[in-house]
Amino acid sequence: MSTHTGTTAGRPRAFDADAVLGQLTDLFWQQGYRHTSLSDIVEASGVHKPSLYRTFGDKEQLFATVLRRYLAEREQHLSSMRAMAGPGIAGIHTFLDLFEEFALSETGSRGCLAVTASDELRGTAPGFEDFSLKYRELMTSQMTALAALALPEDAPDAALTSQRAELLSTLILGLQVTIRSQADAAQLRSVFAAIHALVDTWK
């Protein structure tokens, strides 16, 4: 629920903007952009329309803010898992284990908001026309950092790192589509096992 509180008569209500964005992220994630009305937004946030407009702008601007916030959180989450994974091929396997654990969680089972929105809006949204490109750049950057720590000591090859990063990025993005298609746990574990088998060939 929103943490907004009433103020004196005639003054706008104060509310926790970040908490509201969290609530509306869940709403857009569940319903999609086009199927979410302003009435839905008001009901989910508990904030009146004038206050929403005053803080976030119209629905398009609000959704752009939601996407930017989501991508920032996604980057932080990937960075955290990568840091926990450690170096080498073993680190990639650990990263995949952590990602699998997340994918099978309640939050992870919803898939990826950026991938879902990209499918719905073809990678563009008013006020954030290139969000799909930004997400792929984010993913590639994270996977490049992961792959760079797994090169053989006698082969510090930037081209090989780039190839592996592109492959990992594509696989992770494809996984998000698989998750969104309501694949069950057994199917997801099978996909992760296939990726692990591929990574083993990099030794």
Side-chain angles (χ1 to χ4, degrees):
M1 292 298 293
S2 170
T3 58
H4 66 274
T5 57
T7 59
T8 56
R11 297 183 63 186
R13 289 181 172 182
F15 59 89
D16 185 333
D18 193 63
V20 167
L21 286 173
Q23 293 165 334
L24 297 182
T25 297
D26 289 339
L27 179 65
F28 282 120
W29 209 335
Q30 293 167 5
Q31 299 186 179
Y33 175 76
R34 292 197 179 98
H35 293 290
T36 299
S37 67
L38 279 173
S39 296
D40 294 331
I41 291 169
V42 169
E43 182 177 356
S45 66
V47 180
H48 294 304
K49 194 182 300 183
S51 294
L52 286 169
Y53 273 103
R54 204 162 30 239
T55 304
F56 304 113
D58 60 18
K59 177 185 170 183
E60 295 174 349
Q61 294 169 309
L62 169 61
F63 189 58
T65 300
V66 163
L67 281 173
R68 288 191 177 91
R69 178 181 180 274
Y70 175 82
L71 292 187
E73 290 183 343
R74 197 71 166 177
E75 181 173 23
Q76 185 177 28
H77 184 216
L78 290 170
S79 294
S80 176
M81 288 194 296
R82 183 169 53 78
M84 287 189 287
I89 297 297
I92 296 180
H93 284 304
T94 301
F95 176 88
L96 291 171
D97 288 338
L98 292 169
F99 200 98
E100 179 177 354
E101 181 180 351
F102 171 71
L104 295 172
S105 70
E106 182 178 355
T107 299
S109 66
R110 294 187 295 177
C112 172
L113 175 61
V115 171
T116 302
S118 185
D119 180 59
E120 180 183 13
L121 301 174
R122 297 187 179 275
T124 66
F128 197 5
E129 285 73 12
D130 57 352
F131 77 84
S132 185
L133 174 61
K134 292 294 185 184
Y135 184 54
R136 181 157 185 84
E137 289 175 348
L138 180 161
M139 184 64 70
T140 301
S141 174
Q142 292 293 324
M143 294 304 100
T144 298
L146 183 67
L149 295 176
L151 282 176
E153 291 184 5
D154 59 347
D157 190 330
L160 182 57
T161 295
S162 178
Q163 290 171 0
R164 290 178 173 181
E166 285 288 349
L167 183 55
L168 285 170
S169 297
T170 301
L171 289 170
I172 296 296
L173 291 170
L175 262 171
Q176 304 295 344
V177 177
T178 301
I179 293 168
R180 189 67 178 185
S181 68
Q182 299 182 327
D184 60 26
Q187 290 172 310
L188 290 178
R189 290 193 178 99
S190 177
V191 172
F192 275 101
I195 300 175
H196 278 291
L198 172 64
V199 171
D200 272 332
T201 68
W202 295 352
K203 294 180 179 178

